[in-house]
Amino acid sequence: MSLQRRIMELEARQRESDQIIDELRVDNKRLTEQRQLLFQGEENERAVGEKRDKEFSDARVSPIILSSFVV
């Protein structure tokens, strides 16, 4: 095998490796963005749940407090 042919093969492998790395970077960016969206959705769901729990709790406590003041 000639040295020139070996160099060409190694350059081809390098291009393939570079392409794979670029594809992995794109996948990583996409997955990071998806993970961020999921995290934001979970945070929103948590906030909504906490608000509903508080409203429900306030609605249950308010009549009890009001009835204790009525004599």
Side-chain angles (χ1 to χ4, degrees):
M1 177 184 288
S2 73
L3 183 58
Q4 185 63 30
R5 181 169 171 87
R6 181 70 177 146
I7 290 172
M8 290 173 52
E9 288 176 358
L10 291 174
E11 287 173 343
R13 283 187 192 171
Q14 183 64 47
R15 284 189 299 274
E16 290 173 4
S17 294
D18 290 345
Q19 183 178 356
I20 290 170
I21 289 170
D22 288 341
E23 291 170 358
L24 290 172
R25 282 186 180 134
V26 169
D27 286 345
N28 187 40
K29 182 179 178 182
R30 179 182 54 81
L31 292 171
T32 299
E33 290 170 354
Q34 286 178 349
R35 186 176 66 232
Q36 184 63 31
L37 285 173
L38 290 172
F39 177 74
Q40 290 171 350
E42 289 173 355
E43 288 293 310
N44 185 44
E45 285 292 320
R46 186 175 299 121
V48 167
E50 289 174 358
K51 181 180 175 187
R52 286 182 184 161
D53 288 347
K54 184 178 181 332
E55 289 172 353
F56 181 73
S57 176
D58 290 347
R60 289 186 65 193
V61 171
S62 293
I64 296 170
I65 292 173
L66 291 175
S67 65
S68 66
F69 290 112
V70 175
V71 179

